[in-house]
């Protein structure tokens, strides 16, 4: 049909994300002829983190305290409409690698601080969308090709803590994985039922059922053990077997807990609840996870240690890596340089992939590819600040990553991704594959 699909228009605007903070939205129009008459437009919205890794590509914010508390993104939007538009106008939208390379060149810095990773990512994703639409292909097939059929197992965050909620839970995310399900929709249903039972249980215990940034409940609980025991109760009450039908994943987001002066991890909520200072050294953190994993069916731990602690990560991986998926989020920041380092050191055994940590679609796909070649798992992930854009749902199937982290089944910014995955599974029909992510068939 097309081999050359010129980019005719690139237009950025400021919109709101799920926390009410401004973010970048980009529209890209491709095709022959006059724009607006017979062009095809793709649109994309950029997510944003709260427990942001310090090695992430730079998200440009205006910093004018009188507007949106300094969080407006007018500068990034203007970079989309000038520097980035100039770089890609007239170029071939079907050559995503080349487009992303031009975006990188237009920025010219290692950390994307010139035009901003938020500006670049909006263009990168919108180009892919426009190209897919022009070819009349579903986005996941356009990106993933003829072999894309593997549905991700959800890592559903049902209990929020850390910087995503103002409760006393110190670890950021407690997630359930429906590994015993037959299909994606079946797994999603199981998770939703558990989420609803967890709400009932929290209500019975007179605990709050208000939610955190990713839609998980955010009650004031004593410690991780108590959180996990509530989750087990919810799994059982919903009629499922913990460890068989449903396993548990944690994102400790340990960079947020790390106190550089004390060289230890500080647990403020547990400290408050127990009335004594709770500090854990790196070694104690590893033992802490070991104990939790002995008591509960934990199969995956993300950011168990902080982002600078390569030695600690090696130790963690030696101690737990044969049994448990150890996911580097702040550690790798979707960056193949950091991932390569981790692979060499045998630090972690999986990578979290967040498109805005790196700034272009091609670089995110590079990270998945490098991980898979090294025998590392990859988990496609949302940010705590999301939008109704469901791009990562398509990316999860396109990349064959096999796992997705996209929050609780609550708040439409999260459900947009689950709903898109339901559509993709429906479209694939019998050809859809849903497998336990840690078992090689
Ligand atoms: P963030 O949290 O988007 O706030 O960084 C998500 C995560 O840590 O995985
Ligand atoms: Zn994380």
């Amino acid at each position: 049909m097309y081999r050359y699909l010129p980019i005719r228009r690139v237009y950025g605007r400021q919109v709101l994300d799920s926390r009410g903070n401004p973010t970048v939205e980009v529209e890209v129009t491709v095709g022959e002829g006059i724009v607006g008459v017979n062009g095809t437009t793709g649109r994309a919205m950029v997510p944003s983190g709260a427990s942001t890794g310090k090695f992430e590509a730079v998200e440009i914010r205006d910093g004018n305290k009188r507007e949106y508390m300094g969080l407006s993104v007018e500068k990034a939007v203007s970079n989309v409409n000038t520097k980035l538009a100039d770089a890609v106008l007239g170029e071939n939208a079907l050559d995503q690698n080349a487009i992303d390379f031009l975006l990188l060149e237009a920025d010219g810095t290692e950390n994307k601080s010139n035009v901003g990773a938020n500006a670049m990512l909006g263009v990168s994703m919108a180009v892919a969308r426009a190209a897919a639409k022009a070819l009349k292909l579903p986005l996941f097939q356009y990106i993933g090709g003829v072999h894309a059929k593997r549905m991700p197992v959800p890592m559903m965050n049902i209990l929020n803590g850390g910087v995503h909620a103002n409760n006393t839970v110190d670890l950021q995310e407690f997630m359930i994985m429906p590994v015993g399900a037959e299909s994606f929709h079946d797994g999603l249903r199981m998770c939703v039922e558990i989420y609803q039972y967890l709400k009932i249980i929290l209500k019975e215990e007179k605990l709050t059922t208000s939610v955190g940034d990713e839609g998980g409940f955010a009650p004031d609980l004593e410690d991780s053990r108590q959180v996990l025991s509530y989750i087990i109760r919810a799994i059982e009450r919903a009629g499922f077997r913990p460890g068989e039908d449903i396993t548990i994943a944690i994102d400790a987001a340990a960079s947020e807990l790390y106190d550089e002066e004390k060289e230890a991890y500080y647990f403020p909520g547990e400290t408050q609840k127990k009335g004594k200072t709770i500090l854990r050294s790196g070694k104690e953190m590893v033992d802490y996870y070991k104990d939790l994993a002995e008591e509960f069916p934990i199969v995956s731990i993300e950011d168990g240690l902080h982002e600078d602690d390569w030695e600690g990560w090696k130790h963690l991986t030696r101690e737990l890596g044969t049994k448990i998926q150890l996911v580097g989020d702040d550690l790798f920041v979707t960056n193949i340089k950091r991932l390569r380092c981790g692979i060499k050191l045998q630090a972690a055994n999986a990578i979290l992939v967040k498109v805005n940590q790196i700034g272009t679609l091609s670089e995110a796909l590079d990270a998945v590819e490098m991980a898979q070649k090294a025998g590392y798992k990859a988990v496609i992930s949302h940010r705590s600040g999301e939008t109704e854009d469901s791009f990562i749902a398509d990316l999860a199937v396109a990349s064959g990553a096999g796992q997705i982290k996209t929050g609780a089944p609550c708040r439409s910014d999260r459900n947009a991704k689950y709903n898109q995955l339901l559509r993709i599974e429906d479209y694939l029909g019998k050809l859809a594959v849903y497998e336990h992510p840690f078992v090689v068939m």
Side-chain angles (χ1 to χ4, degrees), residues 151-369:
M151 299 300 298
V153 174
M155 235 182 211
M156 185 184 278
N157 179 4
I158 59 171
L159 205 139
N160 292 189
V163 297
H164 292 168
N166 62 349
N167 58 349
T168 58
V169 173
D170 294 313
L171 303 190
Q172 184 176 280
E173 300 168 24
F174 290 84
M175 298 171 279
I176 48 175
M177 298 185 72
V179 293
E182 295 282 310
S183 62
F184 172 78
H185 67 268
D186 196 31
L188 183 64
R189 174 187 57 79
M190 289 160 72
C191 290
V192 170
E193 289 169 6
I194 293 163
Y195 180 77
Q196 307 297 7
Y197 276 107
L198 181 58
K199 185 173 189 174
I200 291 170
I201 292 168
L202 292 173
K203 265 192 195 157
E204 286 170 356
E205 302 284 336
K206 309 257 177 308
L207 288 158
T208 178
T209 55
S210 60
V211 299
D213 286 356
E214 297 185 350
F217 299 116
D220 278 337
L221 298 179
E222 185 117 335
D223 56 18
S224 301
R225 218 166 239 109
Q226 198 184 26
V227 173
L228 290 162
S229 60
Y230 273 103
I231 290 177
I232 296 292
R233 272 170 68 186
I235 295 170
E236 285 172 343
R237 190 100 163 245
F240 304 115
R241 295 162 303 174
E244 285 170 64
D245 303 316
I246 301 285
T247 53
I248 294 176
I250 288 176
D251 179 4
S255 304
E256 298 292 327
L257 300 173
Y258 191 64
D259 184 323
E260 269 180 37
E261 265 169 35
K262 299 200 171 73
E263 292 187 9
Y265 298 85
Y266 176 57
F267 284 60
E270 205 176 325
T271 295
Q272 186 191 322
K273 282 283 186 188
K274 294 185 174 160
K276 59 170 183 191
T277 305
I278 307 287
L279 270 173
R280 292 184 171 94
S281 70
K283 286 237 160 60
E284 284 167 346
M285 289 292 274
V286 175
D287 293 339
Y288 175 66
Y289 297 132
K290 255 193 203 165
D291 289 348
L292 290 177
E294 249 162 53
E295 212 176 312
F296 301 98
I298 295 170
V299 293
S300 178
I301 300 173
E302 179 183 328
D303 279 356
L305 295 170
H306 74 87
E307 60 211 336
D308 284 311
D309 189 9
W310 290 108
E311 281 306 311
W313 272 94
K314 277 164 63 181
H315 172 66
L316 173 69
T317 311
R318 271 195 308 271
E319 292 294 310
L320 286 169
T322 53
K323 286 197 215 114
I324 292 184
Q325 172 174 261
L326 301 167
V327 187
D329 170 11
D330 291 353
L331 182 71
F332 294 141
V333 290
T334 316
N335 183 322
I336 55 167
K337 287 190 182 146
R338 290 189 65 85
L339 177 61
R340 189 177 290 125
C341 179
I343 292 167
K344 266 198 199 128
L345 295 173
Q346 295 190 332
N349 55 27
I351 182 174
L352 199 76
V353 175
K354 291 167 164 169
V355 279
N356 82 319
Q357 277 182 331
I358 194 69
T360 64
L361 173 59
S362 301
E363 289 169 290
L365 290 168
D366 286 345
V368 178
E369 186 183 65

